[in-house]
Amino acid sequence: MANILVFDSGMGGLTIYREIRRALPAHHYFYCFDNANFPYGELSEPALIAACSRLVTTMVSRHHIDLVVIACNTASTICLPALRAALDIPVVGVVPAIKPAAAQTRNGCIGLLATPGTVSRHYTHELIAQFAPGKRVLLKGTTELVIEAEHKLAGLPVNMALLQEVLADWLEGESVPDTLVLGCTHFPLLNEEIQQLMPQCQLIDSGRAVAKRVAWLLASGMNSAFVSVPSNEGMAKAYCTRLDETAQKLRAPLQAWGLSSLEEVRV
Ligand code: DGL
Protein backbone atom coordinates (compact mmCIF):
# COMPACT_ATOMS: atom_id res chain seq x y z
CA MET A 1 0.00 0.00 0.00
CA ALA A 2 1.13 3.56 -0.61
CA ASN A 3 1.94 6.07 2.10
CA ILE A 4 0.17 9.27 1.07
CA LEU A 5 1.01 12.64 2.61
CA VAL A 6 -1.79 15.21 2.48
CA PHE A 7 -0.56 18.65 3.45
CA ASP A 8 -2.17 22.01 4.30
CA SER A 9 -1.77 24.95 6.66
CA GLY A 10 -4.80 23.84 8.68
CA MET A 11 -8.05 21.92 8.44
CA GLY A 12 -8.87 22.76 4.81
CA GLY A 13 -6.83 19.90 3.38
CA LEU A 14 -9.27 17.52 5.08
CA THR A 15 -11.73 18.27 2.26
CA ILE A 16 -9.18 16.86 -0.20
CA TYR A 17 -8.12 13.97 2.08
CA ARG A 18 -11.82 13.01 2.41
CA GLU A 19 -12.20 12.60 -1.37
CA ILE A 20 -8.93 10.71 -1.82
CA ARG A 21 -9.57 8.34 1.06
CA ARG A 22 -13.13 7.73 -0.11
CA ALA A 23 -11.77 6.70 -3.52
CA LEU A 24 -8.70 4.85 -2.20
CA PRO A 25 -9.44 3.61 1.32
CA ALA A 26 -6.78 0.90 1.56
CA HIS A 27 -3.77 3.24 1.46
CA HIS A 28 -2.11 4.84 4.48
CA TYR A 29 -2.68 8.53 5.08
CA PHE A 30 -0.50 11.10 6.82
CA TYR A 31 -2.42 14.36 7.24
CA CYS A 32 0.04 17.12 8.10
CA PHE A 33 -0.96 20.72 8.86
CA ASP A 34 1.42 23.60 9.44
CA ASN A 35 -0.54 25.42 12.13
CA ALA A 36 2.62 27.18 13.38
CA ASN A 37 2.62 29.17 10.12
CA PHE A 38 -1.15 29.46 9.63
CA PRO A 39 -2.66 31.29 7.74
CA TYR A 40 -0.67 30.67 4.56
CA GLY A 41 -2.71 33.25 2.65
CA GLU A 42 -0.98 36.02 4.59
CA LEU A 43 2.62 34.77 4.19
CA SER A 44 5.11 36.26 1.75
CA GLU A 45 5.97 33.96 -1.17
CA PRO A 46 9.58 33.28 -0.04
CA ALA A 47 8.44 32.52 3.53
CA LEU A 48 5.75 30.16 2.25
CA ILE A 49 8.11 28.28 -0.09
CA ALA A 50 10.67 27.88 2.71
CA ALA A 51 8.15 26.66 5.34
CA CYS A 52 6.36 24.32 3.00
CA SER A 53 9.52 22.79 1.47
CA ARG A 54 11.14 22.17 4.86
CA LEU A 55 8.09 20.51 6.33
CA VAL A 56 7.09 18.41 3.32
CA THR A 57 10.63 17.08 2.72
CA THR A 58 10.95 16.21 6.44
CA MET A 59 7.63 14.31 6.45
CA VAL A 60 8.53 12.48 3.23
CA SER A 61 11.82 11.16 4.54
CA ARG A 62 10.55 10.33 8.03
CA HIS A 63 7.48 8.39 6.94
CA HIS A 64 8.63 6.82 3.65
CA ILE A 65 6.01 8.72 1.74
CA ASP A 66 5.21 7.51 -1.81
CA LEU A 67 3.05 10.41 -2.99
CA VAL A 68 2.45 13.96 -1.76
CA VAL A 69 -0.72 16.00 -2.13
CA ILE A 70 -0.36 19.70 -1.46
CA ALA A 71 -3.98 20.16 -0.40
CA CYS A 72 -3.69 23.92 -0.37
CA ASN A 73 -4.24 26.30 -3.28
CA THR A 74 -2.16 29.02 -1.63
CA ALA A 75 0.88 26.74 -1.43
CA SER A 76 0.31 24.90 -4.72
CA THR A 77 0.16 28.10 -6.77
CA ILE A 78 3.72 28.95 -5.71
CA CYS A 79 5.54 25.96 -4.14
CA LEU A 80 5.09 23.12 -6.62
CA PRO A 81 8.25 23.73 -8.72
CA ALA A 82 10.48 23.80 -5.61
CA LEU A 83 8.86 20.68 -4.14
CA ARG A 84 9.04 18.73 -7.39
CA ALA A 85 12.70 19.65 -7.72
CA ALA A 86 13.44 18.52 -4.17
CA LEU A 87 11.52 15.20 -4.26
CA ASP A 88 11.66 12.15 -6.52
CA ILE A 89 8.07 11.05 -5.86
CA PRO A 90 4.86 12.44 -7.41
CA VAL A 91 3.68 15.75 -5.97
CA VAL A 92 0.04 16.57 -6.74
CA GLY A 93 -1.16 20.14 -6.29
CA VAL A 94 -4.59 21.69 -5.80
CA VAL A 95 -5.35 24.79 -7.85
CA PRO A 96 -8.61 26.72 -8.38
CA ALA A 97 -11.07 24.82 -10.61
CA ILE A 98 -11.36 27.59 -13.21
CA LYS A 99 -11.64 25.24 -16.19
CA PRO A 100 -14.77 23.34 -15.06
CA ALA A 101 -16.30 26.60 -13.85
CA ALA A 102 -15.83 28.17 -17.30
CA ALA A 103 -17.53 25.14 -18.86
CA GLN A 104 -20.46 25.23 -16.44
CA THR A 105 -21.33 28.92 -16.07
CA ARG A 106 -24.47 29.98 -17.89
CA ASN A 107 -24.37 33.73 -17.28
CA GLY A 108 -20.62 33.97 -17.95
CA CYS A 109 -19.89 35.32 -14.48
CA ILE A 110 -17.63 33.27 -12.18
CA GLY A 111 -16.62 34.10 -8.62
CA LEU A 112 -13.27 32.90 -7.35
CA LEU A 113 -13.24 32.75 -3.56
CA ALA A 114 -9.71 32.09 -2.31
CA THR A 115 -7.04 33.44 0.02
CA PRO A 116 -5.38 36.85 -0.48
CA GLY A 117 -2.24 34.92 -1.52
CA THR A 118 -4.00 32.86 -4.19
CA VAL A 119 -5.88 35.76 -5.79
CA SER A 120 -2.65 37.74 -6.12
CA ARG A 121 -0.64 34.95 -7.79
CA HIS A 122 0.58 35.14 -11.35
CA TYR A 123 -0.31 31.43 -11.61
CA THR A 124 -3.98 32.15 -10.85
CA HIS A 125 -4.15 34.96 -13.40
CA GLU A 126 -2.62 32.66 -16.02
CA LEU A 127 -5.20 29.95 -15.21
CA ILE A 128 -8.00 32.46 -15.80
CA ALA A 129 -6.48 33.79 -19.03
CA GLN A 130 -5.97 30.25 -20.35
CA PHE A 131 -9.17 28.52 -19.27
CA ALA A 132 -11.80 31.25 -18.93
CA PRO A 133 -11.31 33.54 -21.92
CA GLY A 134 -14.35 35.71 -22.48
CA LYS A 135 -15.77 35.02 -19.00
CA ARG A 136 -16.07 37.53 -16.21
CA VAL A 137 -14.03 36.18 -13.32
CA LEU A 138 -14.43 38.11 -10.06
CA LEU A 139 -11.72 37.57 -7.46
CA LYS A 140 -12.15 37.71 -3.72
CA GLY A 141 -9.34 36.99 -1.27
CA THR A 142 -10.39 36.40 2.33
CA THR A 143 -8.60 35.12 5.41
CA GLU A 144 -11.64 35.74 7.63
CA LEU A 145 -13.49 32.85 6.02
CA VAL A 146 -10.46 30.55 6.35
CA ILE A 147 -10.62 31.25 10.08
CA GLU A 148 -14.41 30.69 10.12
CA ALA A 149 -13.87 27.28 8.49
CA GLU A 150 -11.30 26.39 11.18
CA HIS A 151 -13.82 27.43 13.84
CA LYS A 152 -16.59 25.36 12.30
CA LEU A 153 -14.38 22.27 12.23
CA ALA A 154 -13.54 22.84 15.88
CA GLY A 155 -17.27 22.85 16.69
CA LEU A 156 -17.89 26.62 16.92
CA PRO A 157 -20.81 28.33 15.17
CA VAL A 158 -20.15 30.05 11.83
CA ASN A 159 -20.52 33.84 11.89
CA MET A 160 -23.19 34.21 9.20
CA ALA A 161 -23.14 38.03 9.41
CA LEU A 162 -19.43 37.99 8.56
CA LEU A 163 -20.00 35.55 5.71
CA GLN A 164 -22.73 37.79 4.34
CA GLU A 165 -20.45 40.83 4.61
CA VAL A 166 -17.63 39.09 2.71
CA LEU A 167 -19.95 37.86 -0.04
CA ALA A 168 -22.12 41.04 -0.12
CA ASP A 169 -21.29 42.27 -3.63
CA TRP A 170 -21.96 38.81 -5.11
CA LEU A 171 -25.40 38.45 -3.55
CA GLU A 172 -27.27 41.02 -5.62
CA GLY A 173 -26.77 43.71 -8.21
CA GLU A 174 -24.84 43.57 -11.46
CA SER A 175 -22.12 41.12 -10.51
CA VAL A 176 -23.85 37.98 -9.37
CA PRO A 177 -21.85 34.89 -10.29
CA ASP A 178 -23.85 31.77 -11.10
CA THR A 179 -20.75 29.66 -10.48
CA LEU A 180 -18.42 29.92 -7.52
CA VAL A 181 -14.96 28.38 -7.48
CA LEU A 182 -13.95 27.45 -3.94
CA GLY A 183 -10.27 28.18 -4.54
CA CYS A 184 -9.20 27.44 -0.98
CA THR A 185 -9.51 23.96 0.45
CA HIS A 186 -11.01 25.40 3.65
CA PHE A 187 -14.13 26.65 1.87
CA PRO A 188 -15.91 23.35 1.14
CA LEU A 189 -16.17 23.16 4.93
CA LEU A 190 -18.52 26.17 4.60
CA ASN A 191 -20.49 24.76 1.66
CA GLU A 192 -23.86 24.72 3.43
CA GLU A 193 -23.49 28.25 4.77
CA ILE A 194 -22.36 29.69 1.41
CA GLN A 195 -25.15 27.84 -0.38
CA GLN A 196 -27.64 29.27 2.13
CA LEU A 197 -26.65 32.80 1.06
CA MET A 198 -26.22 31.96 -2.63
CA PRO A 199 -28.88 29.29 -3.31
CA GLN A 200 -28.84 29.75 -7.10
CA CYS A 201 -25.09 29.47 -7.40
CA GLN A 202 -23.23 26.24 -8.17
CA LEU A 203 -20.17 25.67 -6.00
CA ILE A 204 -17.14 23.99 -7.51
CA ASP A 205 -14.13 22.59 -5.68
CA SER A 206 -11.16 20.46 -6.69
CA GLY A 207 -11.57 17.47 -4.34
CA ARG A 208 -12.83 14.83 -6.76
CA ALA A 209 -10.47 15.86 -9.55
CA VAL A 210 -7.50 15.54 -7.19
CA ALA A 211 -8.68 12.11 -5.99
CA LYS A 212 -8.92 10.97 -9.63
CA ARG A 213 -5.42 12.24 -10.33
CA VAL A 214 -4.01 10.40 -7.29
CA ALA A 215 -5.79 7.18 -8.32
CA TRP A 216 -4.39 7.49 -11.82
CA LEU A 217 -0.84 8.08 -10.56
CA LEU A 218 -1.00 5.11 -8.22
CA ALA A 219 -2.44 2.84 -10.90
CA SER A 220 -0.35 3.84 -13.86
CA GLY A 221 2.78 5.69 -13.06
CA MET A 222 4.02 3.83 -10.01
CA ASN A 223 4.98 0.48 -8.57
CA SER A 224 2.38 -2.21 -9.33
CA ALA A 225 2.31 -3.02 -5.59
CA PHE A 226 -0.08 -0.05 -5.26
CA VAL A 227 -2.56 -1.38 -7.78
CA SER A 228 -3.99 -4.54 -6.22
CA VAL A 229 -5.99 -2.98 -3.42
CA PRO A 230 -7.22 -5.19 -0.58
CA SER A 231 -10.54 -4.45 1.06
CA ASN A 232 -9.03 -3.46 4.45
CA GLU A 233 -8.87 0.23 5.40
CA GLY A 234 -5.39 1.66 5.74
CA MET A 235 -4.34 3.72 8.73
CA ALA A 236 -4.64 7.51 8.89
CA LYS A 237 -2.78 9.79 11.30
CA ALA A 238 -2.50 13.56 11.73
CA TYR A 239 0.60 15.68 12.36
CA CYS A 240 0.86 19.38 13.19
CA THR A 241 3.73 21.78 13.69
CA ARG A 242 2.53 23.17 17.02
CA LEU A 243 0.69 20.93 19.46
CA ASP A 244 -0.70 23.77 21.57
CA GLU A 245 -4.03 23.98 23.41
CA THR A 246 -5.97 24.87 20.26
CA ALA A 247 -4.47 21.92 18.38
CA GLN A 248 -5.17 19.55 21.28
CA LYS A 249 -8.87 20.40 20.92
CA LEU A 250 -8.76 19.16 17.34
CA ARG A 251 -8.14 15.55 18.36
CA ALA A 252 -11.85 14.70 18.53
CA PRO A 253 -12.85 16.36 15.23
CA LEU A 254 -9.84 14.76 13.52
CA GLN A 255 -10.94 11.38 14.83
CA ALA A 256 -14.36 12.01 13.37
CA TRP A 257 -12.59 12.41 10.01
CA GLY A 258 -10.92 9.04 10.49
CA LEU A 259 -7.54 10.30 11.75
CA SER A 260 -6.66 8.16 14.73
CA SER A 261 -3.90 10.23 16.35
CA LEU A 262 -2.33 13.69 16.40
CA GLU A 263 1.40 14.26 16.93
CA GLU A 264 3.72 17.22 16.63
CA VAL A 265 6.31 17.07 13.88
CA ARG A 266 9.59 18.87 14.60
CA VAL A 267 11.51 20.20 11.63
N1 DGL B 1 -6.32 25.87 2.75
C1 DGL B 1 -5.47 26.75 2.09
C2 DGL B 1 -5.76 26.99 0.64
O1 DGL B 1 -6.31 26.14 -0.01
C3 DGL B 1 -4.82 27.90 2.82
C4 DGL B 1 -5.53 28.66 3.89
C5 DGL B 1 -4.57 29.58 4.64
O2 DGL B 1 -3.78 29.06 5.44
O3 DGL B 1 -4.58 30.80 4.37
O4 DGL B 1 -5.42 27.98 0.08
Side-chain angles (χ1 to χ4, degrees), residues 163-177:
L163 185 58
Q164 178 142 18
E165 202 179 298
V166 171
L167 297 176
D169 54 342
W170 291 353
L171 300 180
E172 56 188 1
E174 283 183 10
S175 315
V176 177

Side-chain angles (χ1 to χ4, degrees), residues 8-9 12 38-41 71-74 115 118 146 183-186:
D8 186 29
S9 59
F38 173 89
Y40 271 8
C72 173
N73 296 262
T74 312
T115 65
T118 298
V146 175
C184 167
T185 55
H186 278 75

Side-chain angles (χ1 to χ4, degrees), residues 7-10 32-38 40 51-52 55 239-241:
F7 175 81
D8 186 29
S9 59
C32 178
F33 57 101
D34 188 9
N35 56 331
N37 290 303
F38 173 89
Y40 271 8
C52 184
L55 184 51
Y239 297 82
C240 64
T241 47

Side-chain angles (χ1 to χ4, degrees), residues 65-69 84 87-92 217-218 221-222:
I65 299 296
D66 300 297
L67 184 145
V68 177
V69 179
R84 287 182 175 142
L87 296 168
D88 57 4
I89 53 173
V91 181
V92 178
L217 281 167
L218 292 179
M222 297 176 68

Side-chain angles (χ1 to χ4, degrees), residues 3-4 32 35 52 59 67-68 86 110 120 137 140 156 184 187 190 194 196-197 206 209 226 229 233 244 256:
N3 287 339
I4 301 175
C32 178
N35 56 331
C52 184
M59 285 294 293
L67 184 145
V68 177
I110 298 167
S120 70
V137 182
K140 204 179 281 289
L156 300 169
C184 167
F187 297 156
L190 299 175
I194 295 171
Q196 215 173 302
L197 294 176
S206 311
F226 299 140
V229 177
E233 246 199 8
D244 56 12

Side-chain angles (χ1 to χ4, degrees), residues 129-143:
Q130 192 180 349
F131 294 117
K135 310 288 181 207
R136 233 174 126 205
V137 182
L138 311 171
L139 308 181
K140 204 179 281 289
T142 164
T143 295

